[in-house]
Amino acid sequence: AYPTMAAQNNGDAKHQSFVSEMTDDPMIKKLALKDPGPQNIATISAGFEKGDFLVREEQGNRVYFDFFEEAFNYISNKGYSRMSKDEEKQWMELMSIIHDSVKGGMKYNTGTLLMVLHRPVTPEMRAAAEARAVSKVKKEVAGAKVAAATKE
């Protein structure tokens, strides 16, 4: 086992001073936030004909609501919670950049993004997603075999 940098520099005053200066830097603090691990996000947006509010969640599921409270309660009951203001702002900025990068504009009305929520991905959720992916591939392979057999 190799000693860590912290162990190697444990008594080094210059190192301690450098670490202190680095941790006071706001950008370093922002980048050093604890990684929450895998997570799903959901959004609540406004400005649609089908309903005033739209919830977008995992696997492209979209549900429309007439009232914000209904939309929020729906997604909260699925285990999603609000992000911190800073994290939500970062996601909103990122989605704005992504939508703006689509040449000619987005194909669908994206509405006005109101809120970004998140929930951690559990091992059970990951296993279920993998099982769905395997099932989908098996169906595609079976369909390709049927199509090949009917051509002959």
Side-chain angles (χ1 to χ4, degrees), residues 32 49 60 62 68 78 85 96 99 117 133:
E49 290 181 24
R62 294 181 302 274
F68 174 80
K78 291 189 133 204
K85 291 229 181 254
S96 177
H99 290 170
L117 303 102

Side-chain angles (χ1 to χ4, degrees), residues 102 104-109:
V102 176
M106 294 289 290
K107 183 177 179 180
Y108 300 102
N109 175 14

Side-chain angles (χ1 to χ4, degrees), residues 30-109:
K30 188 174 182 180
L31 294 173
L33 291 174
K34 183 181 174 198
D35 179 13
Q39 61 181 330
N40 287 325
I41 65 166
T43 59
I44 300 176
S45 301
F48 302 92
E49 290 181 24
K50 289 184 181 181
D52 290 329
F53 299 96
L54 169 65
V55 171
R56 286 188 187 94
E57 57 176 317
E58 58 190 286
Q59 299 178 357
N61 190 21
R62 294 181 302 274
V63 185
Y64 293 90
F65 296 92
D66 292 324
F67 299 98
F68 174 80
E69 296 85 350
E70 294 172 333
F72 184 82
N73 290 341
Y74 168 81
I75 202 64
S76 291
N77 288 327
K78 291 189 133 204
Y80 287 86
S81 61
R82 286 210 62 186
M83 296 179 166
S84 69
K85 291 229 181 254
D86 288 340
E87 192 176 10
E88 185 177 53
K89 182 180 175 193
Q90 289 173 358
W91 274 102
M92 287 183 168
E93 289 171 358
L94 177 63
M95 284 189 247
S96 177
I97 291 167
I98 291 168
H99 290 170
D100 291 347
S101 73
V102 176
K103 201 171 197 167
M106 294 289 290
K107 183 177 179 180
Y108 300 102
N109 175 14

